[in-house]
Amino acid sequence: MLEPMSSGTDETDVRPDSLGQWRDYGAEELPVPLAAALAAFAEHGYHGTSVREIAARANLSVPGLYHHYPSKQSLLQGLLERTMTDLLSRSEQAIAEAGDQPVDQFDAVVESLLRFHMYRREQAFVGSTEIRSLEDSYKQTYIGHRDRQQHMVDEIVFAGVEAGDFATRYPKDASRAVATMCVGVSTWFKLDGELGADELIARNLQIARETVGYRGASAR
């Protein structure tokens, strides 16, 4: 069984005025150069984007862009670091607010992952597709962030199996299948599409619970 991993956020650390903030998504407030890089990477890919194009989108000269970020690689790394910091923070808060029961923690982390990959779909998409473009000096850090997120889900599923809430014989595989399902939302979900956010969450929570073999009632 996996060793317990602290999420970095204790339940007692959650302030009443911060409850539920992990569900709140406004416009992403990225620095202008990173916002320009995100738009270009999402449209053309990292290798299909030039520094000149990013500078133009940011209404900067190339030297002006380099004043903020010294290379195209630093733009990608800066963008992905912000993306993972946001994702991990929201997941930790969701789990902390859910209480001690594995099934409640499971619902919370799955909902958090789904919401992130719906409302931050461009960042998530670039993060998933451009890991191959990261230089080795940062790639291991980024992989560590991704492993940390997966470990959160793994730990909850193992706890649910131990508590008798989940019946899956393959908790590690089930956990990864659930996380992969959530990540995949970023490749197809549209906020103005036929399937609304709340309906998607409800359906996928049901699927996630079935994947881990939840023994109780249907997903909320």
Side-chain angles (χ1 to χ4, degrees):
M1 178 175 292
L2 292 173
E3 292 297 321
M5 183 198 73
S6 172
S7 68
T9 304
D10 188 84
E11 187 175 358
T12 58
D13 294 334
V14 180
R15 301 187 305 275
D17 61 353
S18 71
L19 293 175
Q21 285 187 357
W22 56 272
R23 290 189 174 98
D24 295 338
Y25 285 89
E28 176 69 4
E29 297 181 356
L30 292 172
V32 172
L34 289 186
L38 172 61
F41 294 157
E43 185 174 346
H44 302 300
Y46 178 79
H47 292 293
T49 298
S50 68
V51 171
R52 188 173 299 279
E53 178 182 355
I54 296 172
R57 286 175 182 257
N59 292 317
L60 293 169
S61 65
V62 172
L65 180 65
Y66 282 146
H67 175 74
H68 298 282
Y69 292 90
S71 65
K72 186 171 71 167
Q73 179 67 202
S74 70
L75 286 160
L76 179 61
Q77 292 182 17
L79 179 63
L80 297 191
E81 187 67 21
R82 280 176 171 263
T83 297
M84 293 307 299
T85 296
D86 188 20
L87 172 62
L88 291 167
S89 175
R90 289 176 186 275
S91 294
E92 288 170 348
Q93 186 180 10
I95 293 168
E97 288 182 16
D100 297 330
Q101 297 302 310
V103 65
D104 294 330
Q105 294 181 354
F106 181 76
D107 285 356
V109 75
V110 170
E111 180 183 347
S112 181
L113 284 169
L114 287 168
R115 288 189 183 277
F116 186 87
H117 288 86
M118 288 189 293
Y119 291 101
R120 293 289 182 263
R121 56 188 301 266
E122 284 193 337
Q123 291 94 317
F125 176 74
V126 170
S128 295
T129 58
E130 297 299 346
I131 187 172
R132 64 186 185 277
S133 302
L134 289 170
E135 293 179 353
D136 290 342
S137 58
Y138 177 72
K139 182 179 290 187
Q140 292 307 310
T141 298
Y142 181 70
I143 291 173
H145 290 327
R146 286 173 40 138
D147 288 349
R148 180 179 165 193
Q149 176 62 72
Q150 182 62 57
H151 200 163
M152 290 184 204
V153 185
D154 293 347
E155 185 183 28
I156 292 168
V157 174
F158 272 95
V161 170
E162 186 172 345
D165 295 330
F166 303 153
T168 178
R169 295 172 57 191
Y170 309 105
K172 185 80 169 181
D173 297 313
S175 175
R176 294 193 179 278
V178 168
T180 299
M181 176 187 71
C182 295
V183 171
V185 167
S186 67
T187 66
W188 60 267
F189 179 76
K190 295 182 179 179
L191 290 173
D192 59 353
E194 293 183 4
L195 185 63
D198 290 342
E199 178 62 21
L200 181 145
I201 289 168
R203 289 186 187 185
N204 282 269
L205 274 174
Q206 178 69 46
I207 294 168
R209 283 186 169 197
E210 290 173 355
T211 300
V212 298
Y214 177 55
R215 296 178 183 273
S218 298
R220 292 192 294 267

